Amino acid sequence: MVELKPNQPRWRQVFEIIRDRIHSGQYKPGERIPSIVDLIEEFGIANATAQKVMRALRQAELIHTEPGMGSFVKAPEDQATD
């Protein structure tokens, strides 16, 4: 389990970790990212926190979600810039 810092919002820390994994190429364009259940297990966060992370990743245009299929990394040309 990834240990999170107690003095920062948990959702923001997880968002930044997943964002960094996308930017570093650990999660490649078109690749499925961990599910909400996977995020809960890996980071020890609540379901609502994991939902907020996924929402933030979609709002940042880093991922897109296909109902029943999962969430996938967008191609760099489809991503918003920071």
Side-chain angles (χ1 to χ4, degrees):
M1 187 179 310
V2 174
E3 187 144 343
L4 301 174
K5 299 171 190 160
N7 59 342
Q8 295 177 355
R10 296 167 71 76
W11 77 267
R12 184 71 182 178
Q13 292 178 69
V14 176
F15 166 82
E16 290 174 354
I17 290 168
I18 301 300
R19 182 198 61 202
D20 292 348
R21 290 177 182 176
I22 291 170
H23 287 301
S24 73
Q26 185 175 345
Y27 299 143
K28 296 175 182 14
E31 184 177 339
R32 187 173 182 269
I33 66 165
S35 68
I36 288 180
V37 172
D38 295 331
L39 293 179
I40 291 167
E41 291 175 3
E42 181 177 358
F43 296 101
I45 57 178
N47 185 293
T49 304
Q51 293 277 353
K52 189 170 185 176
V53 170
M54 297 301 264
R55 219 173 14 258
L57 290 166
R58 280 192 297 275
Q59 288 173 344
E61 297 185 19
L62 294 170
I63 65 168
H64 68 278
T65 301
E66 297 179 22
M69 299 293 292
S71 295
F72 301 85
V73 177
K74 285 187 168 188
E77 59 271 10
D78 296 334
Q79 295 177 8
T81 56
D82 288 340

